[in-house]
Amino acid sequence: MRATFRNLFHTLDVAAFVRKRHDHALSVARWTVILIPMAVAVGSLCAAFLWSLDVATRTRFAHPWLLFLLPVGGFAIGLLYHWMGKSVEGGNNLIVEQIHEPGGGVPLRMAPLIFIGTVATHLFGGSAGREGTAVQLGGSLASATARLFRLDGASVRVLLMAGIAAGFGAVFGTPLAGAVFALEVLAVGRVEYTALVPCLLAAIVGDWTCHAWGILHTTYHIHFASGSTGPLLIAPLLLLKAALAGVAFGLAGLVFAEANHALGGWMKRLIPYGPLRPVVGGLLVIGLVYLFDTRAYLGLGVTAAIPGDPTISSFFGPEIDRWSWALKMLFTVITLSAGFKGGEVTPLFFIGAALGNAVGGLLGAPIDLFAGLGFVAVFAGAANTPLACTIMGIELFGSAHAVPIAVACFVAYLCSGHSGIYLSQRIAVPKRRAHYLPSGVTLREARAPRPREPS
């Protein structure tokens, strides 16, 4: 009798095991069917977007007079969003909010609006990036896919994160960083592991698809050999310099984010009618071009119309450039605060590489290495994503520089405070002991004036 019950128990246990594995296999198959077509679509749109940006940039280089149409183009962008895009003006913050609290979803019209708006911004000379467009393309397509398959709230969160990963991985050619960015950007001090595999799959497929369309990404090289004098453990001076530079990178990210929010809020109060804000911003950008007698800080900053003008690649060279980081920050803050579309990340790459160049010269450190550190660390501080940026640095520059990259990114993250370019981020783990920040508060709420604590 005992043997009979024991055999029955084992039979039931095996049946339960088989049933669980069967359910798991069905879930994997279901998510694969959903994720791969969505990631292919996002990667294809990112490829079309990057191609369009290249055409727009080359057209602006060939016809410099297009800069004078920047206020007109800005008015058209503002009018387009005023008529059709009020529900998607939140951009990346809207997607982050929908991941935290799924509600109405991300409207599909976000994709064409941000695509057109960003290309127009670059065609006429606005200083903006491209990550915002990629993330919003991914988020809007992911939300549409969720509606198509009638997914529940938990599944919608996962799919939106996967959409972010696909867009970010495709537009920069860094799928691992794209996957981790989507998991890390939601909350300060926490990584969302529930979507780990979907984000990795979406980022890889998105990147593959973008490359399949013939899109090539700019490559950057660090020729300095971090371990040329032995293991990094016996080269503490280099890491100390990387940490000091990380402080500067974090403060730069903090200044960029706060300046963007402050000027954007001020312009909204001063000019309530949205389409007029880019007109004013466009006039200010034109004024800056003539004040500093240069067009080097327009557009992405990846290529230049005039040989010798500063670009991201030029900061990896031997020449020291003291102030390009500040000028690019000024051009970009005015452009984005006025309502032009694009993103912050590629300008942050420019600012970071330029600041790394200047700090490296000041500290007597390898210029190309510190340009690379700034490239990723200023972004780490501004976006509160040190892990994703460390992985991005390794993908872009190689694992030989992993330790100084991590030091710079982690220090920059700590020094940027409870601020950032994405105000819908929630604070899961404060960067310092701050009991006045309750768990789950957003960066927007953390920036709001608070009553002074009783002594």
Side-chain angles (χ1 to χ4, degrees), residues 128-213:
R130 52 194 174 185
E131 129 282 342
T133 305
V135 168
Q136 291 173 52
L137 289 174
S140 60
L141 285 182
S143 185
T145 303
R147 287 192 292 269
L148 178 65
F149 286 93
R150 299 180 180 179
L151 301 181
D152 57 27
S155 299
V156 170
R157 293 182 76 251
V158 171
L159 200 59
L160 285 174
M161 284 186 273
I164 292 175
F168 194 98
V171 82
F172 293 123
T174 54
L176 295 181
V180 177
F181 176 81
L183 302 170
E184 190 180 20
V185 74
L186 303 179
V188 175
R190 184 182 68 199
V191 177
E192 189 70 54
Y193 281 102
T194 54
L196 188 64
V197 174
C199 284
L200 180 61
L201 176 61
I204 292 173
V205 172
D207 181 48
W208 281 348
T209 303
C210 194
H211 280 289
W213 284 106

Side-chain angles (χ1 to χ4, degrees), residues 65-145:
W65 55 266
L66 285 170
L67 175 65
F68 298 104
L69 295 181
L70 184 59
V72 179
F75 182 76
I77 296 169
L79 204 59
L80 186 64
Y81 270 78
H82 184 73
W83 285 344
M84 303 176 60
K86 286 187 175 181
S87 62
V88 299
E89 281 184 328
N92 293 358
N93 285 302
L94 173 62
I95 298 173
V96 173
E97 289 167 1
Q98 286 299 310
I99 293 173
H100 283 306
E101 297 179 4
V106 181
L108 185 58
R109 62 179 173 276
M110 174 183 275
L113 286 173
I114 192 63
F115 192 114
I116 294 169
T118 304
V119 172
T121 294
H122 286 275
L123 176 64
F124 299 115
S127 177
R130 52 194 174 185
E131 129 282 342
T133 305
V135 168
Q136 291 173 52
L137 289 174
S140 60
L141 285 182
S143 185
T145 303

Side-chain angles (χ1 to χ4, degrees), residues 83-408:
W83 285 344
M84 303 176 60
K86 286 187 175 181
S87 62
V88 299
E89 281 184 328
N92 293 358
N93 285 302
L94 173 62
I95 298 173
V96 173
E97 289 167 1
Q98 286 299 310
I99 293 173
H100 283 306
E101 297 179 4
V106 181
L108 185 58
R109 62 179 173 276
M110 174 183 275
L113 286 173
I114 192 63
F115 192 114
I116 294 169
T118 304
V119 172
T121 294
H122 286 275
L123 176 64
F124 299 115
S127 177
R130 52 194 174 185
E131 129 282 342
T133 305
V135 168
Q136 291 173 52
L137 289 174
S140 60
L141 285 182
S143 185
T145 303
R147 287 192 292 269
L148 178 65
F149 286 93
R150 299 180 180 179
L151 301 181
D152 57 27
S155 299
V156 170
R157 293 182 76 251
V158 171
L159 200 59
L160 285 174
M161 284 186 273
I164 292 175
F168 194 98
V171 82
F172 293 123
T174 54
L176 295 181
V180 177
F181 176 81
L183 302 170
E184 190 180 20
V185 74
L186 303 179
V188 175
R190 184 182 68 199
V191 177
E192 189 70 54
Y193 281 102
T194 54
L196 188 64
V197 174
C199 284
L200 180 61
L201 176 61
I204 292 173
V205 172
D207 181 48
W208 281 348
T209 303
C210 194
H211 280 289
W213 284 106
I215 298 298
L216 301 176
H217 299 281
T218 304
T219 56
Y220 304 97
H221 300 285
I222 297 175
H223 298 289
F224 173 78
S226 296
S228 60
T229 59
L232 283 175
L233 291 176
I234 63 172
L237 183 60
L238 178 66
L239 298 185
L240 176 60
K241 291 179 179 180
L244 291 174
V247 175
F249 299 148
L251 293 176
L254 172 63
V255 170
F256 179 88
E258 287 300 310
N260 220 356
H261 301 320
L263 183 58
W266 182 79
M267 291 192 73
K268 287 178 181 178
R269 291 191 298 272
L270 186 66
I271 311 171
Y273 185 58
L276 286 182
R277 290 194 288 270
V279 175
V280 175
L283 292 172
L284 289 174
V285 169
I286 293 172
L288 289 176
V289 166
Y290 283 89
L291 176 64
F292 295 105
D293 191 27
T294 179
R295 297 184 179 220
Y297 306 108
L298 303 177
L300 289 170
V302 175
T303 56
I306 301 173
D309 273 354
T311 62
I312 295 176
S313 296
S314 72
F315 301 127
F316 288 78
E319 292 80 14
I320 306 299
D321 190 320
R322 301 290 185 193
W323 297 108
S324 279
W325 65 271
L327 291 174
K328 183 63 174 177
M329 185 182 293
L330 178 62
F331 275 75
T332 306
V333 165
I334 289 176
T335 298
L336 296 178
S337 298
F340 286 95
K341 303 304 175 183
E344 300 92 347
V345 174
T346 306
L348 285 171
F349 291 163
F350 185 109
I351 294 165
L355 182 57
N357 174 288
V359 171
L362 186 65
L363 295 176
I367 298 301
D368 55 351
L369 174 62
F370 274 62
L373 299 185
F375 186 107
V376 291
V378 171
F379 176 35
N384 295 304
T385 53
L387 296 178
C389 291
T390 298
I391 293 171
M392 172 178 275
I394 293 170
E395 286 186 291
L396 292 175
F397 308 124
S399 60
H401 312 291
V403 176
I405 288 170
V407 169

Side-chain angles (χ1 to χ4, degrees), residues 408-434:
C409 288
F410 291 2
V411 173
Y413 165 76
L414 290 176
C415 292
S416 65
H418 292 118
S419 182
I421 54 179
Y422 307 124
L423 290 179
S424 292
Q425 277 182 324
R426 296 188 178 183
I427 300 176
V429 180
K431 298 182 184 181
R432 59 184 182 275
R433 292 189 64 182

